[in-house]
């Protein structure tokens, strides 16, 4: 049975987010003055075959994030397990 | 006090995700054979000034998503309130 893990990759605090600022300006222009700030990031759903122990699985997920999914110089990442996906 | 809302924009089921497939292939090439599927999406953190009632706020959020943050032809969106941000 496959397991879905959700990964969130966001810019580190202090890193400029020009895209986020542009979206914020656009929303305010559309009349949503309550928008004070916008930060954009990546949302990744990974479907993983079951098999690894939890600890082993988390270690490999950490590696996947560090090696490919996030640029750890400017980005932070976190992940959580979604409810199991019906095979 | 500002409120942070998190918006998740994902491709609709059935819509091809070439970027997700490319990331999946790359992860398997790096040795993570347990990766069966990858779907990429947008993760957006909106900082909103308090003021609107919950219902009013949700209605405006829905509008923001439909008008700008998501392409509702091929994308789904959902949002949840993060814990209040210390001003």
């Amino acid at each position: 049975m496959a397991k879905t893990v959700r990964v969130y990759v966001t810019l580190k605090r202090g890193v400029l987010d020009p895209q986020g600022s542009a979206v914020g300006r656009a929303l305010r222009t559309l009349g949503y003055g309550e928008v004070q700030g916008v930060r954009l990031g990546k949302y990744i759903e990974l479907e993983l075959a079951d098999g690894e122990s939890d600890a082993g699985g988390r270690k490999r997920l950490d590696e996947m994030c560090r090696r490919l999914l996030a640029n750890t110089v400017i980005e932070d990442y976190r992940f959580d397990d979604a409810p199991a996906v019906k095979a």
Side-chain angles (χ1 to χ4, degrees), chain A:
Chain A
M1 209 171 73
K3 177 175 87 163
T4 299
V5 175
R6 296 179 296 203
V7 180
Y8 309 91
V9 179
T10 50
L11 287 172
K12 291 187 176 196
R13 290 287 148 193
V15 175
L16 260 183
D17 182 3
Q19 284 186 317
S21 317
V23 170
R25 266 195 313 278
L27 286 171
R28 283 187 292 273
T29 308
L30 286 172
Y32 304 105
E34 66 267 37
V35 174
Q36 296 180 339
V38 177
R39 289 186 73 77
L40 297 184
K42 288 178 271 190
Y43 170 71
I44 303 166
E45 281 182 3
L46 294 176
E47 220 176 292
L48 305 177
D50 254 345
E52 287 288 332
S53 66
D54 260 3
R58 297 190 82 80
K59 187 170 160 290
R60 285 172 71 83
L61 267 169
D62 214 48
E63 277 176 30
M64 290 184 216
C65 289
R66 288 179 184 284
R67 292 179 70 186
L68 187 72
L69 302 178
N71 171 355
T72 49
V73 173
I74 58 168
E75 290 173 331
D76 288 326
Y77 62 86
R78 57 187 171 79
F79 44 81
D80 61 41
D81 297 5
V85 177
K86 274 179 273 7

